[in-house]
Amino acid sequence: MISYIIRRILYVIPLLLAVSIVCFVIIQLPPGDFLTAIESQLKSQAGLSEEESRKMVDEMRKTYGLDKSMPVQYLIWIKNIVTKGDFGYSFGYRKPAQEVIWERLKWTMIIALSAHLISTLVGLLIGIYSATHQYSLGDHLSTFLAFIGLSFPEFFTALVIMYLLVFRFRVPHVGGLSSPEYVLATWNWAKFVDFLQHFWIPVVISGVAGVARNMRVMRANLLDVFRSQYVITARAKGLKERIVLYKHAVVNALHPIIAYQGVALPYIVQGTMVTAIVLNLPTTGPAFYDALVFQDTLLAGSFLLMVTVVLVIGNLLSDLILAWIDPRIRYD
Amino acid sequence: MDKQNEILLEVKNLKKYFPITRGVFRRVVGYVKAVDRVDLFIRQGETLGLVGESGCGKTTLGRSILRLIEPTDGEVWFKTGKGKKLDITKLEDREIKSLRREMRMIFQDPYASLNPRMTVMDIVGEPLIIHKVAQGKEIEDRVRTLLKIVGLNPRYMRRYPHEFSGGQRQRIGIARALALNPRLVIADEPVSALDVSVQAQVINLLENLQVQFNLTYLFIAHDLSVVYHISNRIAVMYVGKIMEVGQAEEVYQGPRHPYTEALMSAVPVIDPDVKPERILLQGDVPNPANSPSGCTFHPRCRYAKKICSQEEPPLEDIGDEHYVACHFADDFSLKGIRQF
Amino acid sequence: MILKNERSRKKNSFAEPVKGEAYIQLVWRKFKRSKTAIIGAILVIIMAILAIFAPFFSPYNPLKIDHRASFSPPQRIHFFDDKGKFHLRPFVYNLKLELDPQTWKRIYTEDTSKRFPIYFLVRGWEYKPFGIPCKLHLFGVAKGGSIHLFGMDNYGRDLWARIMLGGRVSLSIALLGAILSAFIGSMVGTISAYYGGITDMILQRIVEFLQSFPQLPLWMALSIAIPATWSSLYVFIAIMMLFGLLSWTPLAREVRGKVLSLREQEFVLSAKEAGASDARIIFKYLIPNCLSHIIVVLTITIPWLILAESTLSFLGLGLQPPMVSWGVLLQEAQNLQTMGRHLWIAIPGAFIVITVLGFNFLGDGLRDAADPYSRR
Ligand SMILES: Nc1ncnc2c1ncn2[C@@H]1O[C@H](COP(=O)(O)OP(=O)(O)OP(=O)(O)O)[C@@H](O)[C@H]1O
Ligand code: SF4
Ligand SMILES: [Mg+2]
């Protein structure tokens, strides 16, 4: 086991390096950069001459090191990240990229984790119900609904729910995490209620697919366990059905789902992304989207890198968990 | 079989070691010596029966000879149809391909050795296509003939293997092996996966084919009774090594190696005069990754002496091309079998 | 069973094959038994037909602009006229545009003075399947009338026709992407497992490397790098390649596992023994024996790519107008107020859901059926 862990961890280091290079390159792919846009802005709006604006922008390039070659820029970027935790400057927000990300990461995590938690719980419960009532009406219905849930593009779920809320249920304000009048207010009861009224929407939207997935996985696992020998033995021994069910079957059916939690995090983060963009939430998703569109290079790159790193580590963790549960894997 | 017949295949000092790896860097910590310094020869037109318990390395030996797996060391000399002697272990891939026309293999498990996604026609005709010896309609005609030769109705050549029984599948495998008119056929336990009633039919078929096409067989089996009928000479293998080789009657009636005697005693005898005395081998077959010092057989040999655990007996000719690897080959009088 | 057959075989006759069921028959039998799988297959086939013959099913040119008809609502199909009389041939009424004198809102009402019966296999706008001019359409109404079953978009283009055309684009980009992905995945998986050693190590590292990236952000970042100056066709190809090149890793892993076990099978050895080249072993032995896995993964990849395409296009990162895909059509719904007033512009979303649902049903049924020996 130790040797397996060491091998896996040793292997992650070059992987992270390669991943960071690719993130950086991808973000640099589109022609031009943020300053190209500023340059034309200076020309058209500030009324500067072509030469003047070019000069100004060139100066800015120098200050931010954008005049250097790409490999050098990459090295500076990665050096600052590793040594100082500095992800570079975001032109769009006019502050360090990590500040933008940290600010927004808080809400991302709150929404994502709530969605994940609720969808896991609900999904598992429905899955258990379905498996224990196989072929009943409830089972058919929830299986069918799970299929539907998996067939909705997330943005479309968001559109449908928003439409229903605004035009059918006449909810005064959807989108964001608070109504305009509370944005600047200090936290009080009314603001909290308003917050909750906004908060559940993205949680539900981004939870739909999760419920469906968890339900299907749990149902299939549980049915498999039911068919396995030791549950049959346990039943035959005369234990009460319920005890058999919960003590043996559910615990075993949960194994794969627990192992999955290692990789769940990055999926959770990207899972809320589309919802967040559609609902315009103060989370990382819309910031990443804007950064891409406006070529706020370092912010977009930093975000991509962060999610990737989280994914790599998540993969590592779930590999280790699986190897711990099932020793055969280590030697493959 | 005449001793004058020329030698078709000669195996010298052949080894196949499978490495055992462990640890972070997959360090090699040992070897499974599946085939260990094997010497053998097969004469043109004869059948050499190779017997030994399960796991003793018979399959590995057969595959190493054909270079289906790369031998670790040793030489395999083959006399080609053009009369040239070649060391197979030294050949380039391209050269081997042309040799594959002359030496073919029949596989152990008829259920696993036919591609389930190919029709009988494709399976039997494939070697013709690979070696570009026939084209189009020719292939079909040739396949038809081959199927008739092995006793299958050519009408069913468009069917898939799963529609046939074990014996029929083995016939398909035989037809495939014969497609290129080989000179040497290595039959790796061709009947051990078959029902007893079918075994004899397939063995008869193989015997007829040998006469008809002047084939040479290396016939592998783990059961002495199977090879008795078909073999001219017998080789006995134990944990990667050859223990005894000799004319079939000689080995059967007067085995000179204690292991052969033990194997022999396990054969059911139908002679009322002979009181069956089964020699039960003590202990387990040794692990080929860690075989015993000296004579490999000594932990289980009931005649073992002190020297047996210290010095390895060489495979020596005790006269009349009867080879035995035992320090006391000349001393014992061991029990054989008069008849079945 | 085998033993019995072998024993009961008549002597001196050729061996007759045992009556057995081919794998494909077993799969089909199991597949047929699953209702959802059949429903899925039907949905997929319907969508495919609509997409392939899109112009034939569209009474109007999906690209024709009519500003006066901007956001005119869907027309209903009637069987009963305003006097309650039944007509066997269904018909539509034209829409009358009125302005609400107070709010200046546009109000459409049905002009019940004239019925426009729906005729089938009529002549309409010209399109060119394989360069042959053709005017035939499945349905239409007489001159002077109109039949816009799904209403009009912002520019007064027939939404029904645009959905048909968009389906063609959405389905083909997902299908081509999935085929590319299946091709790469099965090749990489097979080669990786068959050659083993250093080849396997390198390919597996590549697989792990690709799997290290979060899908959606990566796709977003890459699709925005597609130059805006490229023609629609190039953008289509670029996105399709993106899908194909980035979605093959799960299949590669699955095929690798399968080939690893196949490689140990004697029949693969028997190919080598017969002197078969690596290419022959890969294409005649390994891939055909993985085909059921490949097909199952293919049917699961397609809906996934449909979702991806629609999401990217909806966000303005994928296909761009004037290209038409379901995701592009939904761009108009980005504004909640527009969608609130003209709900029909969300209809392309329903097509996405139904198609993806069909593929999910189909894939699920195929996965169960592909393993006909299992009990489930
Ligand atoms: N690829 C391999 N890697 C490691 N060890 C192997 C490999 N192939 C075979 N062996 C080992 O080599 C030994 C000989 O195996 P082999 O299959 O040649 O025996 P066999 O005599 O043909 O047995 P059987 O009668 O069961 O067919 C066995 O101990 C086996 O475990
Ligand atoms: S050498 Fe010794 S141990 Fe080996 S077979 Fe002969 S008597 Fe037995
Ligand atoms: Mg064997």
Side-chain angles (χ1 to χ4, degrees):
Chain A
M1 184 71 197
I2 301 275
S3 121
Y4 179 78
I5 295 177
I6 294 173
R7 201 166 65 214
R8 291 288 311 167
I9 291 177
L10 280 184
Y11 167 62
V12 157
I13 294 167
L15 182 66
L16 285 178
L17 202 70
V19 154
S20 69
I21 294 176
V22 170
C23 284
F24 190 78
V25 171
I26 289 174
I27 295 301
Q28 305 279 358
L29 279 180
D33 58 20
F34 194 79
L35 292 178
T36 328
I38 290 195
E39 187 179 330
S40 58
Q41 227 175 38
L42 285 175
K43 263 184 289 187
S44 60
Q45 285 168 20
L48 296 184
S49 75
E50 190 137 322
E51 226 164 274
E52 282 171 319
S53 49
R54 166 130 8 101
K55 223 168 119 198
M56 265 184 80
V57 167
D58 279 346
E59 226 149 80
M60 282 167 83
R61 282 219 168 89
K62 207 168 266 168
T63 345
Y64 294 111
L66 293 180
D67 55 335
K68 302 203 172 64
S69 69
M70 204 140 97
V72 176
Q73 283 189 47
Y74 166 76
L75 285 177
I76 294 172
W77 186 59
I78 204 76
K79 191 191 103 209
N80 286 338
I81 291 177
V82 174
T83 55
K84 292 187 272 185
D86 173 10
F87 283 78
Y89 186 76
S90 158
F91 289 104
Y93 291 85
R94 294 175 198 284
K95 52 183 162 185
Q98 70 269 20
E99 272 180 37
V100 180
I101 294 178
W102 286 133
E103 257 169 39
R104 291 171 160 256
L105 204 57
K106 183 181 68 185
W107 285 116
T108 313
M109 290 319 272
I110 293 176
I111 294 173
L113 284 177
S114 316
H116 179 64
L117 213 70
I118 292 173
S119 68
T120 307
L121 268 180
V122 175
L124 293 188
L125 288 178
I126 301 179
I128 293 174
Y129 171 84
S130 254
T132 49
H133 298 76
Q134 205 187 358
Y135 303 131
S136 70
L137 183 68
D139 175 33
H140 282 307
L141 194 70
S142 41
T143 307
F144 181 72
L145 286 180
F147 265 114
I148 300 258
L150 287 176
S151 305
F152 263 77
E154 199 180 314
F155 73 89
F156 193 60
T157 318
L159 286 181
V160 169
I161 290 185
M162 271 168 52
Y163 171 82
L164 290 178
L165 288 176
V166 173
F167 294 95
R168 292 290 126 118
F169 300 108
R170 301 284 159 200
V171 173
H173 182 262
V174 276
L177 282 178
S178 66
S179 304
E181 61 267 33
Y182 289 105
V183 170
L184 296 173
T186 47
W187 281 99
N188 58 20
W189 182 246
K191 178 167 176 166
F192 183 67
V193 171
D194 177 68
F195 163 73
L196 281 188
Q197 278 169 355
H198 286 83
F199 178 70
W200 71 269
I201 301 170
V203 171
V204 166
I205 294 171
S206 45
V208 168
V211 172
R213 207 172 302 117
N214 282 311
M215 178 257 153
R216 278 171 56 79
V217 172
M218 187 66 191
R219 179 178 182 275
N221 288 352
L222 205 51
L223 287 177
D224 274 351
V225 177
F226 281 158
R227 274 191 288 260
S228 64
Q229 199 51 49
Y230 66 94
V231 171
I232 295 173
T233 322
R235 274 189 187 146
K237 274 198 256 161
L239 289 170
K240 271 196 185 143
E241 184 88 352
R242 276 179 157 264
I243 299 175
V244 174
L245 175 61
Y246 290 107
K247 245 176 129 178
H248 294 267
V250 171
V251 169
N252 276 282
L254 275 175
H255 268 172
I257 292 174
I258 294 170
Y260 166 76
Q261 300 305 313
V263 279
L265 192 62
Y267 289 110
I268 301 167
V269 174
Q270 46 168 325
T272 51
M273 207 160 147
V274 177
T275 312
I277 294 170
V278 176
L279 290 178
N280 195 19
L281 302 179
T283 59
T284 44
F288 175 61
Y289 176 77
D290 289 344
L292 279 180
V293 173
F294 299 113
Q295 300 203 352
D296 193 350
T297 317
L298 290 185
L299 180 58
S302 302
F303 178 80
L304 189 59
L305 180 64
M306 264 172 151
V307 184
T308 309
V309 169
V310 173
L311 183 58
V312 169
I313 292 172
N315 274 335
L316 175 68
L317 285 181
S318 75
D319 274 5
L320 293 182
I321 294 174
L322 278 176
W324 180 53
I325 295 176
D326 185 358
R328 277 171 309 176
I329 293 170
R330 284 175 227 163
Y331 302 110
D332 75 341
Chain B
M1 188 57 52
D2 270 340
K3 282 184 196 156
Q4 276 68 48
N5 266 23
E6 56 184 343
I7 287 175
L8 180 65
L9 182 87
E10 189 167 11
V11 176
K12 284 185 184 160
N13 199 30
L14 194 69
K15 293 181 197 167
K16 176 66 195 180
Y17 295 175
F18 294 107
I20 308 167
T21 58
R22 197 158 291 154
V24 182
F25 302 106
R26 304 272 154 99
R27 210 154 25 88
V28 175
V29 293
Y31 293 95
V32 175
K33 299 183 177 179
V35 171
D36 197 12
R37 283 170 289 159
V38 163
D39 294 305
L40 271 183
F41 62 85
I42 305 177
R43 288 209 168 83
Q44 173 77 47
E46 76 169 348
T47 299
L48 176 67
L50 178 66
V51 288
E53 284 163 292
S54 190
C56 72
K58 307 178 295 290
T59 298
T60 309
L61 175 58
R63 291 180 183 175
S64 305
I65 291 174
L66 292 181
R67 271 197 54 194
L68 288 179
I69 50 181
E70 289 302 317
T72 310
D73 192 18
E75 297 166 14
V76 177
W77 291 92
F78 181 75
K79 191 155 183 197
T80 65
K82 294 188 186 109
K84 225 162 73 182
K85 270 188 114 179
L86 294 175
D87 180 1
I88 299 175
T89 58
K90 306 282 184 302
L91 295 182
E92 303 276 320
D93 283 354
R94 200 167 12 87
E95 297 167 305
I96 292 178
K97 192 182 161 186
S98 65
L99 258 188
R100 298 218 181 280
R101 293 172 60 163
E102 300 193 43
M103 35 202 309
R104 301 300 309 276
M105 187 154 197
I106 297 171
F107 289 88
Q108 182 165 355
D109 182 354
Y111 292 92
S113 59
L114 305 178
N115 184 353
R117 298 283 180 270
M118 277 162 80
T119 60
V120 173
M121 156 86 194
D122 292 334
I123 291 171
V124 177
E126 187 177 42
L128 303 170
I129 298 170
I130 291 173
H131 294 274
K132 303 193 175 70
V133 293
Q135 279 176 345
K137 188 83 177 62
E138 249 178 292
I139 298 177
E140 204 179 311
D141 292 340
R142 182 93 182 93
V143 171
R144 214 177 281 280
T145 322
L146 282 164
L147 289 178
K148 279 186 199 150
I149 289 172
V150 298
L152 285 170
N153 191 334
R155 217 177 44 200
Y156 301 113
M157 60 199 259
R158 304 277 173 206
R159 301 216 176 170
Y160 288 89
H162 71 264
E163 296 179 63
F164 295 87
S165 69
Q168 293 166 339
R169 285 162 174 243
Q170 202 54 298
R171 287 167 196 264
I172 297 170
I174 293 171
R176 177 177 161 98
L178 290 183
L180 294 168
N181 292 322
R183 298 165 64 233
L184 174 70
V185 172
I186 297 185
D188 185 4
E189 307 199 31
V191 296
S192 52
L194 302 181
D195 185 31
V196 184
S197 64
V198 190
Q199 288 191 351
Q201 294 173 8
V202 172
I203 290 188
N204 285 338
L205 173 66
L206 286 171
E207 276 186 312
N208 294 339
L209 292 173
Q210 179 166 39
V211 177
Q212 203 174 341
F213 298 103
N214 190 23
L215 298 174
T216 306
Y217 285 144
L218 174 60
F219 195 103
I220 300 176
H222 62 252
D223 186 349
L224 275 171
S225 55
V226 170
V227 279
Y228 177 74
H229 300 284
I230 193 167
S231 305
N232 304 102
R233 290 191 305 128
I234 301 273
V236 178
M237 197 169 176
Y238 182 72
V239 196
K241 297 200 173 92
I242 299 293
M243 295 285 133
E244 182 167 6
V245 191
Q247 293 298 319
E249 306 82 54
E250 247 179 80
V251 174
Y252 273 84
Q253 286 160 19
R256 306 296 283 271
H257 195 286
Y259 178 62
T260 316
E261 184 193 34
L263 275 186
M264 220 65 90
S265 74
V267 174
V269 183
I270 324 169
D271 186 348
D273 301 336
V274 180
K275 191 165 146 257
E277 184 213 357
R278 200 163 167 185
I279 303 166
L280 280 176
L281 289 173
Q282 305 293 312
D284 290 328
V285 180
N287 180 354
N290 185 18
S291 51
S293 61
C295 173
T296 324
F297 187 54
H298 85 260
R300 303 170 80 194
C301 179
R302 55 178 189 166
Y303 308 105
K305 305 235 166 64
K306 194 158 165 257
I307 182 175
C308 299
S309 59
Q310 292 159 351
E311 254 175 66
E312 187 181 343
L315 186 65
E316 273 177 342
D317 192 349
I318 56 164
D320 214 14
E321 288 195 346
H322 191 155
Y323 298 82
V324 183
C326 173
H327 292 300
F328 308 103
D330 297 324
D331 306 353
F332 305 135
S333 87
L334 303 174
K335 270 212 186 69
I337 305 171
R338 197 83 23 86
Q339 69 181 102
F340 282 91
Chain C
M1 182 187 78
I2 290 148
L3 303 185
K4 236 169 88 193
N5 265 298
E6 192 66 41
R7 286 210 185 99
S8 62
R9 202 163 51 75
K10 269 181 274 148
K11 267 239 163 105
N12 302 330
S13 74
F14 284 126
E16 307 279 324
V18 181
K19 198 89 196 113
E21 248 182 320
Y23 172 77
I24 205 84
Q25 288 166 329
L26 282 172
V27 170
W28 173 236
R29 235 184 12 169
K30 181 135 187 195
F31 183 80
K32 257 192 328 197
R33 252 188 287 149
S34 157
K35 271 191 221 91
T36 47
I38 295 290
I39 294 173
I42 292 172
L43 287 179
V44 166
I45 291 169
I46 290 176
M47 288 299 172
I49 292 175
L50 288 182
I52 294 169
F53 305 104
F56 171 70
F57 289 105
S58 314
Y60 298 99
N61 186 335
L63 304 178
K64 202 174 131 244
I65 291 174
D66 178 2
H67 283 292
R68 283 167 311 165
S70 169
F71 287 131
S72 99
Q75 284 166 268
R76 289 184 35 209
I77 296 173
H78 297 272
F79 284 94
F80 294 93
D81 62 23
D82 55 335
K83 293 177 199 74
K85 191 166 165 256
F86 175 76
H87 299 268
L88 187 60
R89 185 176 283 282
F91 60 91
V92 291
Y93 289 124
N94 272 355
L95 294 179
K96 258 194 317 219
L97 174 64
E98 283 160 6
L99 286 180
D100 186 322
Q102 260 114 58
T103 59
W104 291 93
K105 248 167 92 175
R106 295 161 141 218
I107 297 173
Y108 287 91
T109 50
E110 286 190 325
D111 174 6
T112 53
S113 60
K114 189 164 168 30
R115 290 189 297 112
F116 287 97
I118 300 171
Y119 292 99
F120 293 93
L121 297 177
V122 295
R123 298 170 70 75
W125 62 284
E126 187 180 286
Y127 57 100
K128 288 185 175 155
F130 306 110
I132 310 154
C134 179
K135 287 184 171 178
L136 193 68
H137 298 273
L138 179 67
F139 62 94
V141 292
K143 268 224 162 63
S146 64
I147 177 163
H148 301 293
L149 294 178
F150 288 164
M152 301 289 228
D153 72 356
N154 190 9
Y155 294 97
R157 292 172 294 202
D158 181 45
L159 193 60
W160 169 279
R162 291 178 72 71
I163 288 177
M164 297 296 122
L165 184 64
R168 192 182 248 196
V169 174
S170 289
L171 286 180
S172 54
I173 206 169
L175 180 70
L176 293 175
I179 289 176
L180 181 62
S181 148
F183 178 76
I184 302 175
S186 44
M187 284 318 289
V188 170
T190 311
I191 288 173
S192 191
Y194 178 65
Y195 288 104
I198 186 88
T199 318
D200 183 37
M201 221 204 52
I202 292 172
L203 289 176
Q204 284 315 109
R205 293 300 88 96
I206 293 175
V207 167
E208 278 168 41
F209 177 68
L210 283 176
Q211 286 190 332
S212 302
F213 288 98
Q215 239 133 42
L216 189 65
L218 180 68
W219 289 8
M220 286 169 71
L222 281 172
S223 54
I224 206 158
I226 298 171
T229 50
W230 281 14
S231 72
S232 296
L233 182 66
Y234 281 167
V235 173
F236 178 93
I237 292 174
I239 302 243
M240 188 271 285
M241 298 284 277
L242 210 69
F243 285 165
L245 293 175
L246 293 178
S247 64
W248 52 267
T249 49
L251 179 64
R253 289 205 146 185
E254 197 162 325
V255 168
R256 177 173 175 271
K258 177 82 182 156
V259 170
L260 277 180
S261 72
L262 282 177
R263 202 180 60 164
E264 304 299 318
Q265 303 255 344
E266 277 190 344
F267 69 83
V268 175
L269 205 68
S270 88
K272 199 176 164 196
E273 184 266 343
S277 62
D278 288 343
R280 173 174 274 272
I281 293 178
I282 288 172
F283 289 107
K284 287 242 158 183
Y285 284 73
L286 301 176
I287 293 199
N289 279 287
C290 294
L291 207 57
S292 57
H293 286 248
I294 296 171
I295 290 173
V296 169
V297 174
L298 186 73
T299 40
I300 297 171
T301 309
I302 294 172
W304 183 42
L305 292 183
I306 293 176
L307 291 180
E309 183 275 324
S310 66
T311 303
L312 286 181
S313 299
F314 173 78
L315 294 177
L317 302 175
L319 299 174
Q320 307 288 350
M323 272 222 115
V324 183
S325 82
W326 288 338
V328 171
L329 290 176
L330 283 171
Q331 281 182 6
E332 283 200 26
Q334 269 172 357
N335 184 327
L336 195 60
Q337 292 308 319
T338 318
M339 182 173 150
R341 252 176 273 136
H342 319 289
L343 188 57
W344 57 91
I345 58 174
I347 295 176
F351 274 78
I352 297 175
V353 174
I354 293 171
T355 311
V356 172
L357 187 68
F359 273 107
N360 281 345
F361 276 160
L362 180 65
D364 210 55
L366 277 180
R367 187 173 28 199
D368 279 353
D371 185 11
Y373 308 106
S374 80
R375 285 158 299 164
R376 218 182 305 168

